[in-house]
Amino acid sequence: MTVDPRALSLPGIQDPPKTPRRRRMTFAERLYLPLLAGMWVTLRHMLQNLFGLRKRVTIQYPEERRQYSHRYRGHHILTTRPDGSVRCVACFLCATACPAECIHIEAGEQPDVNIEKYPVVYEIDMLRCVFCGYCVDACPEEAIIMSNNYDMAYYSRDQSIVGKADLMKPYTIDPERLGYRPSYPEEDVKRAEMRRQALDLVTAAKARSGATNH
Ligand code: SF4
Ligand code: SF4
């Protein structure tokens, strides 16, 4: 059975033209004049940047550094107990939550029965990590947090797999360089103050409405 193509076309919709229509270039386009306009924009930006006629959006990294959010998710830190031992109890929750499957843990037995396990090996493959922070969220011990440190450059693939010793490096525990972590005591204080002020406002409003009703 043959189908008449006209029966399939929708009313009011025309079939596209069978042969493409060539667009005629304007005289200016044939002389490549629009290219000059583009080059003028590039030149103008270059001169403005060169002579400091406007605020630059780029910075001279690494001499200059941007201030990122205090919740920035940078290089991980394995936190320690006061005695210097790693806080991690090798529960594998972080590795399970990790969407990039870039955490490798090998558990060992802790002599302290209250702790039971510790990570003999704890490695993060930084080139696979997507810095989502799920490992920090999953950890029940606050044993893994993230820092503001974004200086991560490696000369080989092996270097990008960061082990326990590097993750526990004291320089990353600098309070000025802490990033994403489960608790922010300074924010808790601010929130408590805001709650108290809100309660004061509600109490004052109730007192006012009570006074007008009497
Ligand atoms: S930040 Fe995300 S991707 Fe990176 S190790 Fe943690 S869970 Fe995995
Ligand atoms: S979730 Fe925390 S305690 Fe558990 S293995 Fe990961 S870092 Fe260690």
Side-chain angles (χ1 to χ4, degrees):
M1 191 180 83
T2 55
V3 178
D4 181 358
R6 279 171 303 175
L8 297 175
S9 59
L10 295 171
I13 296 182
Q14 294 174 349
D15 289 336
K18 296 283 183 289
T19 50
R21 263 181 249 126
R22 282 181 67 84
R23 178 179 165 276
R24 286 180 65 81
M25 289 171 82
T26 62
F27 182 65
E29 283 172 339
R30 271 184 275 163
L31 292 179
Y32 294 99
L33 290 183
L35 273 186
L36 292 181
M39 288 164 75
W40 164 241
V41 172
T42 307
L43 185 69
R44 197 179 69 220
H45 284 297
M46 192 190 83
L47 293 174
Q48 282 174 342
N49 284 336
L50 201 62
F51 296 109
L53 298 177
R54 65 174 187 174
K55 192 175 178 297
R56 286 182 201 165
V57 291
T58 53
I59 58 165
Q60 298 295 325
Y61 178 84
E63 289 80 16
E64 289 177 44
R65 283 163 184 273
R66 289 198 200 285
Q67 280 299 319
Y68 286 111
S69 157
H70 64 288
R71 289 171 178 268
Y72 184 81
R73 297 194 292 258
H75 198 289
H76 304 70
I77 300 171
L78 276 183
T79 59
T80 51
R81 299 195 183 88
D83 65 0
S85 63
V86 67
R87 193 181 280 267
C88 173
V89 293
C91 68
F92 289 79
L93 281 177
C94 53
T96 307
C98 176
E101 297 184 358
C102 62
I103 302 179
H104 171 70
I105 304 171
E106 286 174 26
E109 198 172 332
Q110 245 277 7
D112 185 342
V113 287
N114 294 316
I115 299 174
E116 288 187 15
K117 289 191 296 174
Y118 79 103
V120 181
V121 176
Y122 193 107
E123 290 174 341
I124 300 182
D125 186 340
M126 289 296 176
L127 289 189
R128 286 181 67 177
C129 175
V130 293
F131 298 92
C132 61
Y134 286 4
C135 50
V136 177
D137 295 335
C139 181
E141 297 286 328
E142 297 194 10
I144 185 164
I145 59 175
M146 294 171 106
S147 68
N148 259 317
N149 179 11
Y150 50 83
D151 296 321
M152 282 172 259
Y154 309 105
Y155 290 106
S156 69
R157 190 70 185 83
D158 287 348
Q159 279 181 0
S160 70
I161 298 171
V162 180
K164 202 168 87 176
D166 282 332
L167 292 167
M168 290 170 67
K169 263 188 184 164
Y171 79 90
T172 54
I173 316 284
D174 177 357
E176 294 296 312
R177 303 192 71 185
L178 285 182
Y180 189 57
R181 52 197 189 278
S183 64
Y184 298 84
E186 64 283 5
E187 286 189 7
D188 290 346
V189 171
K190 268 192 223 156
R191 266 197 292 273
E193 175 61 18
M194 283 164 67
R195 267 198 300 272
R196 195 188 58 73
Q197 287 172 355
L199 276 175
D200 286 351
L201 286 175
V202 172
T203 314
K206 275 185 183 163
R208 267 202 306 277
S209 68
T212 48
N213 288 342
H214 289 296

